[in-house]
Amino acid sequence: MDNAKSVRSPMSDQISAPVILPNGIVLRHAHGPDELTACFPVISQLRPRLKGVEEWVERASEMATEGYRVLAAWEGDRVLAIAGYRVMENLIHDHFLYVDDLVTAEGDRGKGLGSALLTELSAIGVDEYCGRLVLDTAATNENARRFYKREGLIDAAIGFVKPLGKAA
């Protein structure tokens, strides 16, 4: 991603007030192995290449040292949707909030959780003095593209990928 670098500290340092939605669902960051474990059933729907909960917790924790944070929609101790993101800076976007992952559990789609997460991510971006929110999705993912456009995101970039070496 054009030599983008993270400019935030690890997610364990990020304590912010939870947001309570009208339906009682709470948006708050996941901290530590237990809360990341609770996120695994949802993230694995978006990232099926994850080999298991241990790999997810390890990778999310490692990425946290580079600013990766997980904002989740919680109903009690059950995670319904998550957004993995980081605040970054590069020469294309300047200072921006990048959304690595955004997914709602299959049985909980259509409840406005993705929209609520994007709204909260936008507020976080404003608080972090970001000039924009950026995310990528597959060109073939028509449902996601329609959703993002409906949420006010602009289809403004074309990305290219070149596989290198053996597929992971």
Side-chain angles (χ1 to χ4, degrees):
M1 176 194 244
D2 191 46
N3 297 325
K5 68 173 188 162
S6 172
V7 294
R8 289 294 291 173
S9 55
M11 79 175 140
S12 59
D13 295 339
Q14 307 306 316
I15 309 284
S16 59
V19 173
I20 302 171
L21 302 178
N23 57 8
I25 293 169
V26 176
L27 302 184
R28 67 175 175 79
H29 287 93
H31 297 284
D34 290 341
E35 291 188 350
L36 288 172
T37 295
C39 295
F40 180 72
V42 179
I43 190 66
S44 65
Q45 291 179 29
L46 180 65
R47 308 288 182 224
R49 288 185 3 181
L50 288 168
K51 294 175 182 73
V53 68
E54 296 81 14
E55 180 187 4
W56 155 245
V57 171
E58 180 180 325
R59 290 183 67 186
S61 298
E62 287 174 5
M63 291 187 306
T65 65
E66 299 172 356
Y68 182 78
R69 293 185 270 176
V70 178
L71 180 64
W74 300 82
E75 186 174 59
D77 60 356
R78 187 171 79 90
V79 175
L80 309 177
I82 73 160
Y85 71 98
R86 59 187 92 214
V87 174
M88 305 174 78
E89 189 166 325
N90 69 16
L91 296 175
I92 296 172
H93 302 294
D94 295 323
H95 191 67
F96 65 104
L97 187 143
Y98 182 75
V99 181
D100 294 74
D101 316 291
L102 180 64
V103 60
T104 299
E106 193 169 319
D108 294 301
R109 294 180 185 156
K111 296 179 179 178
L113 299 175
S115 179
L117 286 169
L118 279 175
T119 297
E120 184 60 15
L121 291 174
S122 295
I124 291 168
V126 168
D127 288 347
E128 296 286 340
Y129 305 102
C130 295
R132 57 179 62 168
L133 180 145
V134 177
L135 60 77
D136 298 311
T137 192
T140 57
N141 191 342
E142 292 296 327
N143 290 336
R145 293 177 70 199
R146 271 193 302 276
F147 169 72
Y148 295 135
K149 286 179 183 179
R150 188 173 66 236
E151 293 300 314
L153 281 78
I154 301 164
D155 191 356
I158 297 174
F160 294 90
V161 176
K162 179 181 180 181
L164 301 174
K166 188 174 162 182

